[in-house]
Amino acid sequence: YKIGQLIRSPQIFPLILSIGKIAIIHEAVENGSLEELKTNLSRKKYALAKDRPTGASILHKAVVYGHVDILR
């Protein structure tokens, strides 16, 4: 496989999209952007996904960053 072929692979492409979506969701929480979070939080698995470097969930981050509106 070449890199381009692998990325377009039906097994790999959804995984790449999910990783990107999780990063967007975590960034929205860190920035306190409730609307962006609502827009991107389309599946339960994204709400439960943890940040790779820290292992923190979006609820953990909302507490750490003091975003009470996201916690509600």
Side-chain angles (χ1 to χ4, degrees), residues 40-54:
N40 289 290
L41 197 57
S42 58
R43 302 175 85 178
K44 184 179 179 179
K45 72 178 184 177
Y46 295 135
L48 302 174
K50 295 182 178 178
D51 190 26
R52 286 192 180 248
T54 64

Side-chain angles (χ1 to χ4, degrees), residues 1-67:
Y1 282 109
K2 292 182 180 177
I3 294 292
Q5 291 173 324
L6 189 59
I7 290 173
R8 288 188 293 275
S9 160
Q11 294 85 14
I12 302 296
F13 190 68
L15 176 63
I16 292 170
L17 290 178
S18 290
I19 291 170
K21 182 76 105 166
I22 291 166
I24 289 168
I25 290 168
H26 278 269
E27 186 175 323
V29 172
E30 290 170 13
N31 295 330
S33 178
L34 183 58
E35 290 306 314
E36 186 176 353
L37 179 62
K38 286 180 183 179
T39 300
N40 289 290
L41 197 57
S42 58
R43 302 175 85 178
K44 184 179 179 179
K45 72 178 184 177
Y46 295 135
L48 302 174
K50 295 182 178 178
D51 190 26
R52 286 192 180 248
T54 64
S57 72
I58 58 174
L59 291 177
H60 291 128
K61 287 188 174 185
V63 169
V64 168
Y65 288 94
H67 299 305

